[in-house]
Amino acid sequence: MRDEGACVSALVLGIDPGKATGLAVYTRGELAALATCTPGELVAAITRIAPSLVVFEDSRLQSPTWGRGVSRAALLKVARNVGQIDGWCALIEEACKAQGIEARGISPRRKGAKLDAARFQAITRWDGRCNQHERDAAMVAWPFRNFKGRN
């Protein structure tokens, strides 16, 4: 008898961490849901969704680029923001580890450029409303949308 479960894609959760954290859920390779949550709601969202795989944009995988001619205050603000996101990436990994969920961090560069709503719809066929954080979450997980899980 053939195991039908082995042929079905697992639930995949894409995350774009930030003050407004984007979430994207893929079911059977199709984009099924988009949402935005706060960092404080993130662990509960991972627990509630219970994906087989979490793919998140991981700021720790890309060296920061510091602009010349930018004020010290602006550089400190960027450093603080990147530090917060780095912490949220660590939180995602720990939450996934505690629940036995596979987690993969993807560098911002590997995720690709930000997409406007029209281009996003053309790629994903998503025709609902969405914001930039949700689109980023969907695109970080896009290459993994047909993830089959471990056998």
Side-chain angles (χ1 to χ4, degrees):
M1 180 179 207
R2 192 168 145 217
D3 178 8
E4 295 297 324
C7 298
V8 177
S9 295
L11 194 68
V12 176
L13 174 63
I15 301 175
D16 175 39
K19 286 183 182 179
T21 294
L23 303 174
V25 178
Y26 287 94
T27 304
R28 294 184 181 94
E30 297 293 321
L31 184 55
L34 294 173
T36 303
C37 71
T38 66
E41 299 165 330
L42 186 54
V43 173
I46 293 169
T47 302
R48 183 181 68 253
I49 295 166
S52 298
L53 173 66
V54 168
V55 184
F56 62 99
E57 186 171 341
D58 191 344
S59 57
R60 301 167 300 171
L61 298 176
Q62 186 171 314
S63 298
T65 303
W66 304 102
R68 291 190 172 146
V70 177
S71 72
R72 177 170 165 69
L75 290 175
L76 290 173
K77 182 177 182 340
V78 169
R80 180 179 302 258
N81 291 344
V82 170
Q84 286 177 330
I85 304 237
D86 286 355
W88 294 327
C89 290
L91 176 70
I92 292 166
E93 285 181 329
E94 287 301 315
C96 290
K97 182 178 178 183
Q99 296 177 52
I101 299 169
E102 184 174 344
R104 297 184 188 180
I106 303 299
S107 76
R109 189 170 287 123
R110 183 171 170 209
K111 180 210 51 144
K114 295 193 178 294
L115 301 177
D116 63 21
R119 182 74 179 122
F120 179 75
Q121 195 279 330
I123 292 169
T124 65
R125 293 181 294 216
W126 180 262
D127 60 2
R129 294 184 59 153
C130 58
N131 63 42
Q132 187 63 60
H133 306 292
E134 294 163 351
R135 290 192 296 268
D136 285 350
M139 295 317 295
V140 78
W142 179 257
F144 303 92
R145 68 192 179 280
N146 292 308
F147 178 74
K148 303 286 189 217
R150 296 180 190 255
N151 294 334

